[in-house]
PDB file of all heavy atoms in Angstrom:
ATOM      1  N   ASN A  35       7.632  16.946   8.451  1.00 55.00           N
ATOM      2  CA  ASN A  35       7.853  15.609   7.841  1.00 55.00           C
ATOM      3  C   ASN A  35       7.422  14.574   8.686  1.00 55.00           C
ATOM      4  O   ASN A  35       7.937  13.431   8.751  1.00 55.00           O
ATOM      5  CB  ASN A  35       9.412  15.472   7.531  1.00 55.00           C
ATOM      6  CG  ASN A  35       9.754  14.385   6.547  1.00 55.00           C
ATOM      7  OD1 ASN A  35       8.827  14.086   5.679  1.00 55.00           O
ATOM      8  ND2 ASN A  35      10.813  13.723   6.683  1.00 55.00           N
ATOM      9  N   VAL A 378       8.327  22.414  15.920  1.00 92.00           N
ATOM     10  CA  VAL A 378       9.082  21.607  15.110  1.00 92.00           C
ATOM     11  C   VAL A 378      10.521  21.420  15.732  1.00 92.00           C
ATOM     12  O   VAL A 378      11.294  22.324  15.831  1.00 92.00           O
ATOM     13  CB  VAL A 378       9.287  22.124  13.642  1.00 92.00           C
ATOM     14  CG1 VAL A 378      10.075  21.233  12.806  1.00 92.00           C
ATOM     15  CG2 VAL A 378       7.807  22.418  13.062  1.00 92.00           C
ATOM     16  N   THR A 379      10.838  20.212  16.067  1.00 90.00           N
ATOM     17  CA  THR A 379      12.064  19.828  16.811  1.00 90.00           C
ATOM     18  C   THR A 379      13.107  19.284  15.908  1.00 90.00           C
ATOM     19  O   THR A 379      12.823  18.568  14.964  1.00 90.00           O
ATOM     20  CB  THR A 379      11.783  18.857  18.008  1.00 90.00           C
ATOM     21  OG1 THR A 379      10.841  19.419  18.818  1.00 90.00           O
ATOM     22  CG2 THR A 379      13.064  18.585  18.737  1.00 90.00           C
ATOM     23  N   GLN A 380      14.367  19.719  16.065  1.00 89.00           N
ATOM     24  CA  GLN A 380      15.501  19.104  15.318  1.00 89.00           C
ATOM     25  C   GLN A 380      16.161  17.943  15.975  1.00 89.00           C
ATOM     26  O   GLN A 380      15.900  17.747  17.188  1.00 89.00           O
ATOM     27  CB  GLN A 380      16.581  20.297  14.993  1.00 89.00           C
ATOM     28  CG  GLN A 380      15.961  21.561  14.484  1.00 89.00           C
ATOM     29  CD  GLN A 380      15.264  21.341  13.154  1.00 89.00           C
ATOM     30  OE1 GLN A 380      15.854  20.725  12.258  1.00 89.00           O
ATOM     31  NE2 GLN A 380      14.174  21.882  12.876  1.00 89.00           N
ATOM     32  N   GLU A 381      17.010  17.235  15.268  1.00 89.00           N
ATOM     33  CA  GLU A 381      17.724  16.166  15.889  1.00 89.00           C
ATOM     34  C   GLU A 381      18.622  16.487  17.034  1.00 89.00           C
ATOM     35  O   GLU A 381      18.819  15.699  17.936  1.00 89.00           O
ATOM     36  CB  GLU A 381      18.582  15.366  14.785  1.00 89.00           C
ATOM     37  CG  GLU A 381      17.652  14.713  13.801  1.00 89.00           C
ATOM     38  CD  GLU A 381      18.561  14.062  12.676  1.00 89.00           C
ATOM     39  OE1 GLU A 381      19.566  13.562  13.052  1.00 89.00           O
ATOM     40  OE2 GLU A 381      18.077  13.929  11.581  1.00 89.00           O
ATOM     41  N   ASP A 382      19.113  17.722  17.102  1.00 89.00           N
ATOM     42  CA  ASP A 382      19.944  18.194  18.093  1.00 89.00           C
ATOM     43  C   ASP A 382      19.190  18.714  19.357  1.00 89.00           C
ATOM     44  O   ASP A 382      19.786  19.173  20.343  1.00 89.00           O
ATOM     45  CB  ASP A 382      20.930  19.297  17.719  1.00 89.00           C
ATOM     46  CG  ASP A 382      20.281  20.481  17.214  1.00 89.00           C
ATOM     47  OD1 ASP A 382      18.958  20.594  17.247  1.00 89.00           O
ATOM     48  OD2 ASP A 382      20.996  21.479  16.742  1.00 89.00           O
ATOM     49  N   GLY A 383      17.833  18.730  19.299  1.00 88.00           N
ATOM     50  CA  GLY A 383      16.982  19.063  20.425  1.00 88.00           C
ATOM     51  C   GLY A 383      16.463  20.440  20.315  1.00 88.00           C
ATOM     52  O   GLY A 383      15.693  20.949  21.113  1.00 88.00           O
ATOM     53  N   THR A 384      17.076  21.314  19.383  1.00 91.00           N
ATOM     54  CA  THR A 384      16.598  22.696  19.217  1.00 91.00           C
ATOM     55  C   THR A 384      15.186  22.583  18.588  1.00 91.00           C
ATOM     56  O   THR A 384      14.863  21.648  17.840  1.00 91.00           O
ATOM     57  CB  THR A 384      17.520  23.529  18.361  1.00 91.00           C
ATOM     58  OG1 THR A 384      17.677  22.923  17.060  1.00 91.00           O
ATOM     59  CG2 THR A 384      18.843  23.616  19.025  1.00 91.00           C
ATOM     60  N   SER A 385      14.382  23.645  18.780  1.00 91.00           N
ATOM     61  CA  SER A 385      13.013  23.673  18.223  1.00 91.00           C
ATOM     62  C   SER A 385      12.595  25.006  17.938  1.00 91.00           C
ATOM     63  O   SER A 385      13.222  25.985  18.390  1.00 91.00           O
ATOM     64  CB  SER A 385      12.154  22.978  19.296  1.00 91.00           C
ATOM     65  OG  SER A 385      11.996  23.684  20.457  1.00 91.00           O
ATOM     66  N   LYS A 417      13.706  22.288   5.421  1.00 87.00           N
ATOM     67  CA  LYS A 417      14.684  22.103   6.498  1.00 87.00           C
ATOM     68  C   LYS A 417      14.639  20.717   7.127  1.00 87.00           C
ATOM     69  O   LYS A 417      15.618  20.299   7.597  1.00 87.00           O
ATOM     70  CB  LYS A 417      14.502  23.284   7.509  1.00 87.00           C
ATOM     71  CG  LYS A 417      15.470  23.290   8.593  1.00 87.00           C
ATOM     72  CD  LYS A 417      15.242  24.466   9.468  1.00 87.00           C
ATOM     73  CE  LYS A 417      16.279  24.545  10.612  1.00 87.00           C
ATOM     74  NZ  LYS A 417      16.108  25.673  11.600  1.00 87.00           N
ATOM     75  N   ASN A 418      13.417  20.156   7.156  1.00 85.00           N
ATOM     76  CA  ASN A 418      13.222  18.911   7.921  1.00 85.00           C
ATOM     77  C   ASN A 418      13.080  17.677   6.925  1.00 85.00           C
ATOM     78  O   ASN A 418      12.689  16.580   7.339  1.00 85.00           O
ATOM     79  CB  ASN A 418      11.976  19.013   8.743  1.00 85.00           C
ATOM     80  CG  ASN A 418      12.235  19.956   9.973  1.00 85.00           C
ATOM     81  OD1 ASN A 418      12.735  19.484  11.029  1.00 85.00           O
ATOM     82  ND2 ASN A 418      11.855  21.180   9.759  1.00 85.00           N
ATOM     83  N   ALA A 419      13.343  17.888   5.602  1.00 82.00           N
ATOM     84  CA  ALA A 419      13.025  16.940   4.663  1.00 82.00           C
ATOM     85  C   ALA A 419      13.721  15.583   4.904  1.00 82.00           C
ATOM     86  O   ALA A 419      13.180  14.502   4.731  1.00 82.00           O
ATOM     87  CB  ALA A 419      13.319  17.420   3.236  1.00 82.00           C
ATOM     88  N   ASN A 420      15.011  15.664   5.417  1.00 84.00           N
ATOM     89  CA  ASN A 420      15.723  14.475   5.560  1.00 84.00           C
ATOM     90  C   ASN A 420      16.004  14.138   6.998  1.00 84.00           C
ATOM     91  O   ASN A 420      17.000  13.482   7.457  1.00 84.00           O
ATOM     92  CB  ASN A 420      17.066  14.644   4.972  1.00 84.00           C
ATOM     93  CG  ASN A 420      16.970  14.842   3.396  1.00 84.00           C
ATOM     94  OD1 ASN A 420      16.250  14.041   2.769  1.00 84.00           O
ATOM     95  ND2 ASN A 420      17.643  15.830   2.815  1.00 84.00           N
ATOM     96  N   SER A 421      15.088  14.761   7.938  1.00 87.00           N
ATOM     97  CA  SER A 421      15.266  14.459   9.387  1.00 87.00           C
ATOM     98  C   SER A 421      15.008  12.944   9.786  1.00 87.00           C
ATOM     99  O   SER A 421      14.154  12.315   9.200  1.00 87.00           O
ATOM    100  CB  SER A 421      14.267  15.389  10.145  1.00 87.00           C
ATOM    101  OG  SER A 421      14.646  16.808   9.937  1.00 87.00           O
ATOM    102  N   ASN A 422      15.616  12.600  10.778  1.00 88.00           N
ATOM    103  CA  ASN A 422      15.348  11.282  11.398  1.00 88.00           C
ATOM    104  C   ASN A 422      14.198  11.464  12.362  1.00 88.00           C
ATOM    105  O   ASN A 422      14.459  11.797  13.563  1.00 88.00           O
ATOM    106  CB  ASN A 422      16.571  10.701  12.129  1.00 88.00           C
ATOM    107  CG  ASN A 422      16.459   9.292  12.708  1.00 88.00           C
ATOM    108  OD1 ASN A 422      15.283   8.891  13.015  1.00 88.00           O
ATOM    109  ND2 ASN A 422      17.513   8.551  12.621  1.00 88.00           N
ATOM    110  N   ILE A 423      13.003  11.159  11.979  1.00 86.00           N
ATOM    111  CA  ILE A 423      11.797  11.302  12.790  1.00 86.00           C
ATOM    112  C   ILE A 423      11.842  10.498  14.097  1.00 86.00           C
ATOM    113  O   ILE A 423      11.499  10.993  15.111  1.00 86.00           O
ATOM    114  CB  ILE A 423      10.586  11.050  12.005  1.00 86.00           C
ATOM    115  CG1 ILE A 423      10.453  11.960  10.783  1.00 86.00           C
ATOM    116  CG2 ILE A 423       9.278  11.178  12.892  1.00 86.00           C
ATOM    117  CD1 ILE A 423      10.470  13.438  11.099  1.00 86.00           C
ATOM    118  N   GLY A 424      12.311   9.343  14.002  1.00 87.00           N
ATOM    119  CA  GLY A 424      12.452   8.417  15.205  1.00 87.00           C
ATOM    120  C   GLY A 424      13.347   9.092  16.258  1.00 87.00           C
ATOM    121  O   GLY A 424      13.030   9.139  17.405  1.00 87.00           O
ATOM    122  N   LYS A 425      14.519   9.636  15.784  1.00 92.00           N
ATOM    123  CA  LYS A 425      15.560  10.240  16.740  1.00 92.00           C
ATOM    124  C   LYS A 425      14.868  11.385  17.287  1.00 92.00           C
ATOM    125  O   LYS A 425      14.917  11.707  18.522  1.00 92.00           O
ATOM    126  CB  LYS A 425      16.662  10.507  15.985  1.00 92.00           C
ATOM    127  CG  LYS A 425      17.815  11.107  16.878  1.00 92.00           C
ATOM    128  CD  LYS A 425      19.125  11.379  16.115  1.00 92.00           C
ATOM    129  CE  LYS A 425      20.178  12.000  16.971  1.00 92.00           C
ATOM    130  NZ  LYS A 425      21.503  12.276  16.271  1.00 92.00           N
ATOM    131  N   ILE A 426      14.194  12.240  16.447  1.00 90.00           N
ATOM    132  CA  ILE A 426      13.561  13.404  16.924  1.00 90.00           C
ATOM    133  C   ILE A 426      12.530  13.157  18.039  1.00 90.00           C
ATOM    134  O   ILE A 426      12.406  13.881  18.989  1.00 90.00           O
ATOM    135  CB  ILE A 426      12.948  14.244  15.812  1.00 90.00           C
ATOM    136  CG1 ILE A 426      14.130  14.899  14.907  1.00 90.00           C
ATOM    137  CG2 ILE A 426      11.981  15.306  16.220  1.00 90.00           C
ATOM    138  CD1 ILE A 426      13.600  15.496  13.609  1.00 90.00           C
ATOM    139  N   GLU A 427      11.645  12.138  17.797  1.00 90.00           N
ATOM    140  CA  GLU A 427      10.665  11.816  18.675  1.00 90.00           C
ATOM    141  C   GLU A 427      11.254  11.389  20.070  1.00 90.00           C
ATOM    142  O   GLU A 427      10.750  11.867  21.144  1.00 90.00           O
ATOM    143  CB  GLU A 427       9.842  10.707  18.145  1.00 90.00           C
ATOM    144  CG  GLU A 427       8.563  10.335  18.981  1.00 90.00           C
ATOM    145  CD  GLU A 427       7.557  11.443  19.128  1.00 90.00           C
ATOM    146  OE1 GLU A 427       7.635  12.361  18.226  1.00 90.00           O
ATOM    147  OE2 GLU A 427       6.810  11.418  20.042  1.00 90.00           O
ATOM    148  N   ASN A 428      12.385  10.698  19.997  1.00 91.00           N
ATOM    149  CA  ASN A 428      12.982  10.321  21.293  1.00 91.00           C
ATOM    150  C   ASN A 428      13.534  11.576  21.922  1.00 91.00           C
ATOM    151  O   ASN A 428      13.449  11.628  23.224  1.00 91.00           O
ATOM    152  CB  ASN A 428      14.065   9.348  21.052  1.00 91.00           C
ATOM    153  CG  ASN A 428      13.528   7.974  20.607  1.00 91.00           C
ATOM    154  OD1 ASN A 428      12.435   7.566  21.037  1.00 91.00           O
ATOM    155  ND2 ASN A 428      14.378   7.218  19.883  1.00 91.00           N
ATOM    156  N   VAL A 429      14.177  12.428  21.274  1.00 92.00           N
ATOM    157  CA  VAL A 429      14.733  13.707  21.868  1.00 92.00           C
ATOM    158  C   VAL A 429      13.602  14.463  22.390  1.00 92.00           C
ATOM    159  O   VAL A 429      13.748  15.078  23.504  1.00 92.00           O
ATOM    160  CB  VAL A 429      15.460  14.487  20.796  1.00 92.00           C
ATOM    161  CG1 VAL A 429      15.852  15.898  21.286  1.00 92.00           C
ATOM    162  CG2 VAL A 429      16.711  13.753  20.392  1.00 92.00           C
ATOM    163  N   ARG A 430      12.545  14.601  21.761  1.00 92.00           N
ATOM    164  CA  ARG A 430      11.365  15.380  22.151  1.00 92.00           C
ATOM    165  C   ARG A 430      10.733  14.837  23.529  1.00 92.00           C
ATOM    166  O   ARG A 430      10.378  15.568  24.375  1.00 92.00           O
ATOM    167  CB  ARG A 430      10.199  15.471  21.145  1.00 92.00           C
ATOM    168  CG  ARG A 430       9.349  16.668  21.176  1.00 92.00           C
ATOM    169  CD  ARG A 430       8.036  16.341  20.476  1.00 92.00           C
ATOM    170  NE  ARG A 430       7.216  15.451  21.337  1.00 92.00           N
ATOM    171  CZ  ARG A 430       6.521  15.860  22.401  1.00 92.00           C
ATOM    172  NH1 ARG A 430       6.532  17.074  22.767  1.00 92.00           N
ATOM    173  NH2 ARG A 430       5.910  14.876  23.072  1.00 92.00           N
ATOM    174  N   LYS A 433      12.960  15.817  26.395  1.00 94.00           N
ATOM    175  CA  LYS A 433      12.763  17.197  26.756  1.00 94.00           C
ATOM    176  C   LYS A 433      11.471  17.424  27.501  1.00 94.00           C
ATOM    177  O   LYS A 433      11.374  18.158  28.489  1.00 94.00           O
ATOM    178  CB  LYS A 433      12.734  18.091  25.449  1.00 94.00           C
ATOM    179  CG  LYS A 433      14.119  18.228  24.835  1.00 94.00           C
ATOM    180  CD  LYS A 433      14.026  19.266  23.651  1.00 94.00           C
ATOM    181  CE  LYS A 433      13.618  20.580  24.057  1.00 94.00           C
ATOM    182  NZ  LYS A 433      13.554  21.546  22.977  1.00 94.00           N
TER     183      LYS A 433
END
Side-chain angles (χ1 to χ4, degrees):
N35 200 30
V378 180
T379 303
Q380 308 298 317
E381 292 180 31
D382 63 3
T384 59
S385 62
K417 185 177 180 180
N418 291 275
N420 298 313
S421 297
N422 184 330
I423 299 303
K425 182 178 180 180
I426 289 174
E427 186 62 20
N428 290 332
V429 169
R430 205 204 70 82
K433 287 184 64 177

